[in-house]
C-alpha cells in the first residue's frame, strides 16, 4: 500500500457552535487515525484541538467517535477503511464539548471521588499482605482500565439522559466498585452502596460498554452482572456478607 | 497588573506522574495544603507507559537478594557515575515503598506463597521487579491516584470539601517559576482549556515533570516530555547535571513508520525472549564488554539453563544493561545483519507457549497485533533503539530532593544523579516512589522551618504572561511551531543520538542556534482556547534550552560511558568517572562546567571487589581500599 489522499470530516467548534469540516489529507502505510489528525494540525489546522498522550493505547486520552463508533484514535488503523471512504471524526457525545475533539470529562472524576476507596485490612502490616494469584486476577482484569471513558460515553443510561448523570456512576465506576468488592483484602462492604448510591440498578446489561472497551475488559459479564447477583442474592446482612467475603476465594474464576 | 486567577498553597507539585503523586501524598500527610498541577488529565501521565516493573530487593523470588546487591547492580548499570547516596537510599527504601502501595490497594502479580511476584530484568542479579503483567506503570499511577482520592474523601468527611487539602489542576501548564531574593515564591501557569492564566503563590515547588524525549524524533515518550521541569528549574537559577546521558531503550517498535519508537518492554527478554540477527544468530554473546566479563553466560546453553537454575548458571547477555544492548543492536544493523525494517528480531514465540505469552505480556501481544499485524506468539518482533529516558536532570540533595534554589525540589526523571550514566530497567518506578516521597517530605520540612513566605513580585507575573502570549503577535509570515519542532527532533536524533562525534555535535549546536532564532519568529493561529499550536510554541522554548544542555555536555565529555557514546572517544576514561557536567543558564547563555563528585563512603566502596573497581576507578581513588592496603 502506498500513500493516498483520504477524505476526512472533522467536527470543529466549541461549547456554543460547531460543524463538520472537510479535509483532504495524506495517508501513509501503517498509520492510525491519530496520525492523520496530527498531520492536519501540522499542515492545515494548527489549532485543531485533540487530546492525546501515549499513542500506544495505554493512557486512554484520545477517545472520539469515528464514523459514529466510540474508539481510541491511536488504535484505529487507517487500513480498516477503504481508500475512498469518507472518515468522520467527532468528539464523544455524552460529555460537553470544550473545543473540536476535546470534551469536558470532569463528570468521570466526580464519580470517581464518590466511590469509597480501598479499605486496608486491620492488623495486617505493610509487607504482610498475602494473596493468591487466582484471587487477585478477578480485580486485576478491571484494573487494566485505562480510563478512556468510552464505556461511560457509550452507556445509554447517560448518553441520551442527562438527568441520570446525577445518580448513575456509569460502567467504569460500577466496575471499580466490583473491583474493590472482589479485592481479596478489602475490608468494606460494597454491595448495598452499589445499588443504592451508585445506580447499579440502572444497568440493563446491554453490554454496549463491553463492546467499546479498547482493553477488552468483560465489564458486563465479569463486573456488573456478578455485582448485580451479589446485590439480589441477599438482603443486607453483615453475617452473610462476612461469609461471602471469607468463602468467595473458592468461587470460580470469572 | 494582569487580572489573574490566584491560589495560595503550602506546596505546589508540578507533574502528576508517579513522583509527583507520591510527593503530594507525603506533603498532605504532613498536614500541608498541596496543589498538583498537570499538563494532562489526572491519571494519564507518562508513568502509565512503564511496563516491566518496579525494582525492589524484597527477596520474594530469590532470598539472596538484599539492598546491597541492588545497590551494586545500580552502580554497575550507571558505570559508577551515580550519586552513590541516592543509589543507597533507593536500594534501601524501595521495598517499603512497594509494600506501602499494597496498603493503598495495589494488586501486583503473586508468587505461589502469596507474596509479590518478581521478574528478571536487565542488569539485575536476581528477579527483582514487582509487576502486574506488562502494565506495572498503570497500576502504580492508578493506585496513587486512588490514594489521593481517598485522602480527599477523608478531607471531605472532615470539612465538607474534597479539595480542602489537595487540589488537582488538570490540563494546566506551568510556564515560569517565580523567585524573590533567590527563593521560590510562586509559579505562573495557564489552563489548556481556555488559555487563562493562573498564579500559584507558594513557598515550595516540587518538580516532577519527567523527561525530555520529545526533542528526539524516534522516542517512546509522549508529547508531554518536553523538559519543562529541567527548563523551569534552570531559569529559576538551579543547575542540571549529567545531561549528556540519554538512554536509548534497545527495543522500540520499528515498523510501521507511524509507531516507530513505541516501547517494547524489557520484560519480553526478562521472561525468556532473545535477540537475533538476520542470520538467526543470538548476537548478544559477541557484545559482553570487558567490565561485565565473567558476569554473563558465554554460551546459549548456559544462558538457557539460567532461567531455571540461576544459582549455578550465569544470566543471558540479552539482559545486559540497556546501553550495551542498544549499542549492540545498532552495530548489527550497521553491519548489514538487521531485519527488513532496520531493526533486529526479538523472539519470544519460539521460547514460550502462546498462552503463557498472552498471560505475561498482554499489552505487547495487543500492541503488535493492533498496530503492526504481528502475532508475537507466532513470529518474532522487529525492534530497534528508541529515545526513552534522560539520566540527567536537576541537581538535588540526595536526602531531601532540594535543588540549589531554596524552596525548589525535584524527583523522578527530571532530577539527576541517581542513575549515573545509565538507568537499569525497573529502577525508574522505584526511583519515583522513593524520591517522590523524599521530595514531598523535603518540601514539607522546608515549609515548616520557613519564617516569612517570600512574596510574589507582580512585575514578574506580568512578564511571564507577556512572554507566554508573545507567539500570538508573531510576524504575519512567521514560523509554524510544528515545523520548528520537527527540525529540532530530526537534528537531535541525527546529530546527538545514540552514537555521537564532535563534528556532528557542533553541527547540532549550530542548528540549535538557528532554531532558537526561528522559534522567536513563531506565530500561532487561532485563539487561546485549547490551542495545540500555541501550547507547542511554549513547550518548544523548554525543548530548545534542554537540547542545548544535552549537546553542550555531550561535546565536552570526551569518553564513552552509559548513555553517552562518542565514536571519536570510544573508551571509558577513569579520569572522567568522577566528573559531573553542571549546566546553568544566564539570560539565554547556557554554561556547562565540570565538577567533582563527593567520593563514595568507604563502607559502600567496600561492597565491591577491588578487581571490579579497578575497571572504573583511577589508582589514586582506590588507595584506601582494604584489599589494596592488605
Amino acid at each position: 500500500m502506498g500513500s493516498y489522499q483520504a477524505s476526512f470530516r472533522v467536527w470543529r467548534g466549541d461549547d456554543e457552535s460547531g460543524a463538520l469540516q472537510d479535509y483532504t489529507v495524506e495517508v501513509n502505510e501503517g498509520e492510525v487515525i491519530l496520525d492523520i489528525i496530527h498531520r492536519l494540525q501540522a499542515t492545515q489546522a494548527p489549532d485543531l484541538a485533540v487530546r492525546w498522550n501515549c499513542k500506544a493505547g495505554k493512557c486512554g486520552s484520545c477517545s472520539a467517535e469515528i464514523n459514529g463508533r466510540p474508539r481510541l484514535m491511536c488504535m484505529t488503523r487507517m487500513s480498516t477503511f477503504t481508500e475512498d471512504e469518507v472518515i468522520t471524526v467527532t468528539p464523544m457525545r455524552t460529555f460537553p464539548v470544550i473545543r473540536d475533539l476535546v470534551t469536558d470529562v470532569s463528570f468521570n472524576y466526580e464519580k470517581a471521588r464518590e466511590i469509597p476507596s480501598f479499605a486496608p485490612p486491620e492488623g495486617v502490616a505493610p509487607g504482610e499482605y498475602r494473596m493468591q494469584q487466582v484471587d487477585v486476577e478477578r480485580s486485576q482484569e478491571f484494573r487494566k482500565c485505562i480510563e478512556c471513558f468510552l464505556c461511560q460515553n457509550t452507556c445509554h443510561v447517560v448518553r441520551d439522559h442527562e438527568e441520570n448523570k446525577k445518580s448513575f456512576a456509569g460502567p467504569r465506576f460500577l466496575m471499580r466498585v466490583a473491583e474493590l468488592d472482589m479485592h481479596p483484602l478489602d475490608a468494606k462492604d460494597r454491595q448495598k452502596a452499589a445499588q443504592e448510591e451508585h445506580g447499579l440498578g440502572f444497568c440493563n446489561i446491554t453490554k454496549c460498554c463491553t463492546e467499546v472497551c479498547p482493553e477488552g475488559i468483560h465489564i458486563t459479564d465479569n463486573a456488573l452482572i456478578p455485582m448485580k447477583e451479589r446485590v439480589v442474592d441477599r438482603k443486607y446482612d453483615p453475617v452473610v456478607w462476612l461469609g461471602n467475603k471469607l468463602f468467595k476465594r473458592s468461587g470460580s474464576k470469572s | 497588573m494582569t487580572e489573574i486567577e490566584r491560589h495560595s498553597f503550602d506546596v505546589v507539585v508540578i507533574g502528576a506522574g508517579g513522583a509527583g503523586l507520591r510527593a503530594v501524598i507525603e506533603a498532605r500527610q504532613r498536614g500541608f495544603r498541596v496543589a498538583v498541577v498537570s499538563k494532562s488529565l489526572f491519571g494519564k501521565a507518562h508513568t502509565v507507559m512503564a511496563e516491566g516493573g518496579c525494582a525492589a530487593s524484597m527477596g520474594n523470588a530469590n532470598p539472596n537478594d538484599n539492598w546491597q546487591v541492588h545497590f551494586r547492580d545500580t552502580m554497575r548499570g550507571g558505570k559508577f557515575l551515580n550519586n552513590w547516596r541516592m543509589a543507597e537510599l533507593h536500594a534501601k527504601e524501595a521495598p517499603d515503598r512497594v509494600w506501602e502501595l499494597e496498603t493503598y490497594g495495589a494488586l501486583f502479580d503473586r508468587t505461589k506463597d502469596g507474596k509479590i511476584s518478581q521478574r528478571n530484568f536487565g542488569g539485575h542479579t536476581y528477579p527483582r521487579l514487582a509487576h502486574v503483567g506488562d502494565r506495572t506503570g498503570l497500576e502504580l499511577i492508578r493506585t496513587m491516584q486512588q490514594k489521593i482520592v481517598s485522602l480527599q474523601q477523608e478531607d471531605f468527611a472532615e470539612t465538607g470539601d474534597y479539595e480542602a487539602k489537595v487540589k488537582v489542576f488538570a490540563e494546566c501548564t506551568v510556564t515560569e517559576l517565580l523567585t524573590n531574593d533567590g527563593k521560590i515564591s510562586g509559579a505562573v501557569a495557564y489552563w489548556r482549556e481556555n488559555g487563562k492564566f493562573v498564579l500559584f503563590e507558594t513557598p515550595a515547588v516540587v518538580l516532577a515533570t519527567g523527561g525530555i524525549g520529545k526533542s528526539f524524533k524516534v522516542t517512546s515518550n509522549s508529547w508531554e516530555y518536553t523538559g519543562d521541569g529541567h527548563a523551569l528549574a534552570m531559569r529559576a537559577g538551579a543547575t542540571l547535571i549529567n545531561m549528556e546521558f540519554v538512554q536509548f531503550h534497545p527495543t522500540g517498535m520499528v515498523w510501521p513508520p507511524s509507531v516507530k519508537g513505541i516501547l517494547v518492554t524489557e520484560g519480553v527478554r526478562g521472561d525468556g525472549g532473545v535477540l537475533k540477527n538476520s542470520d538467526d544468530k543470538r548476537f548478544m554473546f559477541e557484545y559482553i564488554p570487558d567490565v561485565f566479563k565473567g558476569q554473563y553466560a558465554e554460551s546459549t546453553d548456559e544462558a538457557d539453563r539460567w532461567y531455571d537454575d540461576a544459582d549455578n548458571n550465569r544470566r543471558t547477555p540479552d539482559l545486559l544493561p540497556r546501553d550495551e544492548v542498544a549499542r549492540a543492536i545498532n552495530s548489527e544493523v550497521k553491519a548489514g545483519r538487521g531485519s527488513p525494517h532496520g531493526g533486529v528480531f526479538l523472539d519470544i514465540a519460539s521460547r514460550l507457549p502462546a498462552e503463557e505469552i498472552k498471560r505475561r505480556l498482554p499489552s505487547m501481544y495487543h500492541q503488535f497485533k493492533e498496530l503492526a499485524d504481528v502475532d508475537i506468539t507466532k513470529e518474532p518482533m522487529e525492534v530497534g533503539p528508541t529515545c526513552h529516558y534522560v539520566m540527567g536532570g536537576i541537581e538535588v540533595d540526595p536526602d531531601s530532593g532540594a535543588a540549589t534554589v531554596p524552596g525548589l525540589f525535584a524527583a523522578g526523571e527530571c532530577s539527576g544523579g541517581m542513575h549515573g550514566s545509565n538507568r537499569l530497567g525497573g529502577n525508574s518506578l522505584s526511583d519515583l516512589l522513593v524520591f517522590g516521597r523524599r521530595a514531598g517530605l523535603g518540601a514539607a520540612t522546608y515549609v515548616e522551618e520557613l519564617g516569612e513566605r517570600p512574596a510574589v513580585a507582580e512585575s514578574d507575573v506580568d512578564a511571564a504572561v507577556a512572554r507566554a502570549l508573545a507567539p500570538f503577535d508573531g510576524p504575519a509570515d512567521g514560523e509554524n511551531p510544528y515545523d520548528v519542532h520537527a527540525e529540532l527532533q530530526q537534528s537531535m536524533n541525527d546529530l546527538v543520538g545514540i552514537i555521537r562525534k564532535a563534528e556532528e555535535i557542533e553541527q547540532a549546536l549550530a542548528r540549535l542556534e538557528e532554531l532558537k532564532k526561528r522559534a522567536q519568529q513563531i506565530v500561532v493561529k487561532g485563539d487561546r482556547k485549547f490551542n495545540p499550536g500555541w501550547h507547542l510554541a511554549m513547550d518548544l522554548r523548554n525543548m530548545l534550552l534542554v537540547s542545548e544542555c544535552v549537546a553542550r555536555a555531550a561535546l565536552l565529555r570526551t569518553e564513552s560511558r552509559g548513555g553517552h557514546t562518542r565514536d571519536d572517544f570510544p573508551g571509558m576514561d577513569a579520569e572522567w568517572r568522577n566528573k559531573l557536567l553542571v549546566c546553568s543558564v544566564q539570560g539565554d547563555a547556557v554554561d556547562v562546567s565540570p565538577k567533582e563528585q563527593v567520593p563514595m563512603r568507604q563502607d559502600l566502596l567496600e561492597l565491591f571487589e577491588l578487581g571490579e573497581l579497578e575497571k572504573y576507578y583511577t589508582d589514586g581513588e582506590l588507595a584506601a581500599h582494604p584489599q589494596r592496603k592488605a
Side-chain angles (χ1 to χ4, degrees):
Chain A
M1 188 189 92
S3 298
Y4 69 98
Q5 298 290 318
S7 301
F8 264 66
R9 309 192 77 193
V10 182
W11 196 88
R12 305 289 314 264
D14 56 21
D15 51 344
E16 283 161 14
S17 65
L20 288 169
Q21 197 162 323
D22 292 308
Y23 297 96
T24 303
V25 53
E26 182 183 308
V27 175
N28 303 306
E29 184 172 15
E31 289 184 332
V32 294
I33 294 279
L34 188 58
D35 290 313
I36 311 308
I37 297 293
H38 283 159
R39 183 162 301 123
L40 285 175
Q41 282 184 330
T43 56
Q44 303 179 42
D47 60 344
L48 169 58
V50 59
R51 202 181 256 137
W52 70 286
N53 275 17
C54 75
K55 204 175 169 287
K58 290 179 172 43
C59 75
S61 301
C62 63
S63 306
E65 302 192 1
I66 298 160
N67 289 348
R69 192 178 161 80
R71 309 197 56 150
L72 293 179
M73 287 186 268
C74 72
M75 296 303 281
T76 307
R77 296 189 71 183
M78 288 302 297
S79 57
T80 58
F81 305 96
T82 58
E83 293 190 9
D84 53 5
E85 200 170 345
V86 177
I87 298 168
T88 306
V89 188
T90 50
M92 287 192 284
R93 193 172 93 196
T94 303
F95 310 117
V97 167
I98 293 173
R99 183 178 183 138
D100 303 338
L101 300 176
V102 177
T103 57
D104 175 359
V105 292
S106 54
F107 164 76
N108 301 290
Y109 290 93
E110 283 156 25
K111 292 296 167 187
R113 230 156 43 179
E114 291 167 8
I115 310 293
S117 300
F118 172 70
E122 258 185 60
V124 186
E128 299 301 320
Y129 283 44
R130 295 290 178 272
M131 296 175 262
Q132 291 304 309
Q133 182 64 31
V134 60
D135 295 322
V136 298
E137 268 171 13
R138 282 176 295 207
S139 296
Q140 278 185 334
E141 182 190 0
F142 311 141
R143 290 182 74 80
K144 275 162 61 181
C145 171
I146 56 174
E147 297 201 331
C148 63
F149 307 130
L150 286 173
C151 60
Q152 303 284 89
N153 171 55
T154 305
C155 179
H156 60 89
V157 175
V158 283
R159 187 170 172 94
D160 299 315
H161 296 281
E162 191 66 28
E163 71 278 10
N164 287 343
K165 280 188 176 168
K166 191 169 181 303
S167 39
F168 182 63
R172 194 277 171 262
F173 296 104
L174 289 167
M175 179 174 83
R176 165 76 171 145
V177 178
E179 171 213 314
L180 289 164
D181 198 52
M182 296 180 199
H183 188 302
L185 292 176
D186 178 59
K188 194 172 169 65
D189 180 14
R190 308 275 169 185
Q191 295 166 19
K192 192 168 172 231
Q195 190 76 3
E196 293 178 4
E197 290 166 36
H198 309 306
L200 181 60
F202 278 99
C203 166
N204 53 0
I205 56 172
T206 52
K207 302 198 183 186
C208 313
C209 52
T210 304
E211 258 177 60
V212 298
C213 178
E215 287 294 296
I217 303 170
H218 297 95
I219 306 173
T220 318
D221 286 351
N222 291 354
L224 305 186
I225 292 176
M227 207 56 211
K228 277 173 172 284
E229 285 171 352
R230 288 167 184 221
V231 171
V232 293
D233 268 1
R234 62 172 177 112
K235 298 241 183 298
Y236 181 67
D237 178 339
V239 180
V240 176
W241 170 76
L242 186 66
N244 283 348
K245 207 72 189 169
L246 289 175
F247 297 115
K248 77 180 178 188
R249 54 179 61 189
S250 58
S252 66
K253 194 184 129 200
S254 41
Chain B
M1 193 188 94
T2 322
E3 269 303 306
I4 192 167
E5 179 184 334
R6 284 168 182 264
H7 298 277
S8 182
F9 284 92
D10 298 318
V11 178
V12 171
V13 176
I14 305 175
L21 297 188
R22 192 61 191 81
V24 170
I25 292 167
E26 203 61 25
R28 155 63 181 75
Q29 286 181 329
R30 290 282 296 259
F32 289 102
R33 279 194 75 233
V34 189
V36 53
V37 189
S38 152
K39 288 203 316 189
S40 295
L41 288 175
F42 199 39
K44 305 293 182 199
H46 212 278
T47 306
V48 303
M49 295 178 74
E51 292 163 354
C54 176
S57 60
M58 296 180 285
N60 294 348
N62 189 320
N64 295 323
D65 204 9
N66 56 44
W67 77 261
Q68 289 93 338
V69 184
H70 191 183
F71 171 77
R72 283 199 295 259
D73 287 344
T74 300
M75 294 300 296
R76 285 174 187 140
K79 300 262 161 51
F80 285 79
L81 185 129
N82 318 52
N83 180 308
W84 51 267
R85 174 63 178 161
M86 290 176 96
E88 178 195 13
L89 290 169
H90 169 260
K92 282 181 172 166
E93 295 178 4
D96 283 339
R97 297 289 82 75
V98 172
W99 286 323
E100 195 168 62
L101 292 179
E102 290 199 302
T103 71
Y104 301 170
L107 284 173
F108 292 102
D109 287 348
R110 318 305 297 181
T111 61
K112 285 201 173 60
D113 53 356
K115 296 177 181 172
I116 295 172
S117 171
Q118 298 188 265
R119 78 158 35 120
N120 276 309
F121 236 56
H124 293 280
T125 301
Y126 299 114
R128 188 178 283 149
L129 270 65
H131 58 94
V132 186
D134 53 5
R135 58 160 189 87
T136 315
L138 174 65
E139 184 69 12
L140 253 76
I141 201 156
R142 199 67 82 231
T143 298
M144 287 193 277
Q145 181 184 352
Q146 288 165 346
K147 174 64 179 176
I148 284 174
V149 165
S150 102
L151 292 169
Q152 289 183 319
Q153 289 170 344
E154 281 175 27
D155 295 337
F156 181 76
E158 203 178 300
T159 66
D161 178 7
Y162 283 112
E163 296 177 336
K165 284 280 177 65
V166 178
K167 187 167 163 66
V168 180
F169 292 78
E171 299 196 312
C172 187
T173 306
V174 174
T175 63
E176 218 71 72
L177 299 179
L178 305 177
T179 56
N180 186 337
D181 200 17
K183 291 181 182 158
I184 290 294
S185 61
V188 175
Y190 67 93
W191 289 107
R192 297 172 69 79
E193 175 177 334
N194 56 27
K196 291 185 178 151
F197 290 89
V198 190
L199 169 64
F200 295 97
E201 292 174 296
T202 181
V205 165
V206 178
L207 293 169
T209 53
I212 66 163
K214 226 39 198 178
S215 298
F216 291 79
K217 188 172 179 209
V218 178
T219 175
S220 64
N221 294 171
S222 81
W223 69 267
E224 302 169 283
Y225 265 31
T226 52
D228 296 2
H230 292 79
L232 288 168
M234 279 184 98
R235 292 199 297 263
T239 44
L240 310 184
I241 55 169
N242 296 348
M243 290 307 290
E244 65 275 34
F245 299 112
V246 176
Q247 180 168 81
F248 290 81
H249 193 292
T251 60
M253 291 176 81
V254 294
W255 190 91
S258 77
V259 300
K260 191 166 181 171
I262 292 182
L263 186 64
V264 179
T265 177
E266 193 167 327
V268 175
R269 284 170 285 139
D271 287 354
V274 293
L275 293 163
K276 291 177 178 172
N277 63 19
S278 56
D279 302 333
D280 205 33
K281 184 177 170 193
R282 288 177 60 180
F283 58 83
M284 280 309 299
F285 293 91
E286 315 293 319
Y287 290 94
I288 304 172
D290 281 346
V291 290
F292 291 119
K293 279 268 155 53
Q295 297 177 27
Y296 285 80
E298 279 157 38
S299 71
T300 52
D301 287 346
E302 182 182 3
D304 285 346
R305 285 196 306 269
W306 166 81
Y307 290 101
D308 296 320
D309 180 8
D311 290 338
N312 296 305
N313 295 286
R314 290 168 299 178
R315 62 192 11 247
T316 174
D318 292 289
L319 287 172
L320 273 161
R322 287 176 176 170
D323 52 333
E324 307 292 353
V325 182
R327 273 191 296 270
I329 293 176
N330 200 64
S331 304
E332 285 297 304
V333 174
K334 267 201 175 152
R337 296 187 292 268
S339 67
H341 299 102
V344 294
F345 296 107
L346 174 58
D347 172 27
I348 184 100
S350 73
R351 314 266 307 167
L352 283 182
E355 281 317 304
E356 195 60 14
I357 295 171
K358 286 191 210 170
R359 192 183 72 75
R360 293 201 205 183
L361 302 162
S363 323
M364 288 305 106
Y365 174 74
H366 187 237
Q367 180 174 312
F368 274 89
K369 194 97 187 114
E370 296 287 321
L371 296 175
D373 277 331
V374 168
D375 181 347
I376 67 167
T377 67
K378 296 202 174 80
E379 47 189 322
M381 296 161 250
E382 281 187 69
V383 295
T386 177
C387 178
H388 183 57
Y389 188 90
V390 61
M391 272 65 72
I394 300 155
E395 186 177 20
V396 292
D397 168 60
D399 290 69
S400 67
T404 48
V405 172
L408 188 62
F409 299 80
E413 188 172 351
C414 75
S415 68
M418 158 70 205
H419 305 288
S421 67
N422 172 55
R423 175 177 69 80
L424 292 184
N427 271 0
S428 180
L429 291 182
S430 42
D431 168 7
L432 54 85
L433 293 173
V434 168
F435 293 105
R437 173 181 161 276
R438 282 188 163 269
L441 210 53
T445 307
Y446 173 80
V447 176
E448 262 164 21
E449 290 170 356
L450 185 70
E452 202 181 330
R453 295 189 175 192
V456 166
E458 297 299 335
S459 56
D460 290 348
V461 180
D462 293 346
V465 169
R467 202 174 303 120
L469 290 176
F472 284 107
D473 299 325
D477 58 346
E479 294 281 347
N480 175 343
Y482 297 96
D483 294 343
V484 177
H485 184 213
E487 286 185 40
L488 169 68
Q489 291 182 307
Q490 194 73 56
S491 303
M492 291 303 285
N493 223 78
D494 295 349
L495 303 173
V496 202
I498 180 166
I499 310 289
R500 302 160 173 175
K501 51 182 143 202
E503 312 90 89
E504 291 185 352
I505 304 172
E506 277 158 5
Q507 274 179 45
L509 283 165
R511 283 210 206 158
L512 283 168
E513 270 316 302
E514 261 170 58
L515 289 170
K516 276 203 291 196
K517 286 192 194 109
R518 287 176 57 188
Q520 308 220 318
Q521 302 298 309
I522 281 176
V523 61
V524 297
K525 306 221 159 63
D527 61 21
R528 280 157 65 178
K529 231 175 172 181
F530 215 112
N531 185 338
W534 179 41
H535 302 163
L536 178 60
M538 283 184 280
D539 292 346
L540 260 174
R541 180 167 171 239
N542 298 337
M543 284 189 264
L544 286 164
L545 177 59
V546 170
S547 297
E548 186 175 344
C549 292
V550 173
R552 287 200 184 281
L555 185 60
L556 283 184
R557 184 173 286 272
T558 47
E559 66 154 353
S560 293
R561 180 185 299 270
H564 171 67
T565 305
R566 284 285 296 261
D567 214 21
D568 43 358
F569 296 93
M572 193 161 67
D573 178 354
E575 294 292 339
W576 267 109
R577 189 204 59 80
N578 206 32
K579 284 198 189 73
L580 301 177
L581 293 173
V582 183
C583 307
S584 58
V585 68
Q586 286 288 334
D588 270 344
V590 171
D591 177 72
V592 184
S593 322
K595 170 177 155 181
E596 296 276 311
Q597 287 209 69
V598 180
M600 197 191 296
R601 218 172 55 225
Q602 196 61 25
D603 60 306
L604 295 176
L605 196 68
E606 289 171 15
L607 292 173
F608 298 93
E609 294 289 321
L610 182 63
E612 180 171 18
L613 293 175
E614 281 170 342
K615 296 175 180 172
Y616 298 97
Y617 278 68
T618 61
D619 264 2
E621 289 176 309
L622 295 173
H625 196 281
Q627 287 172 329
R628 178 65 65 86
K629 286 192 289 192

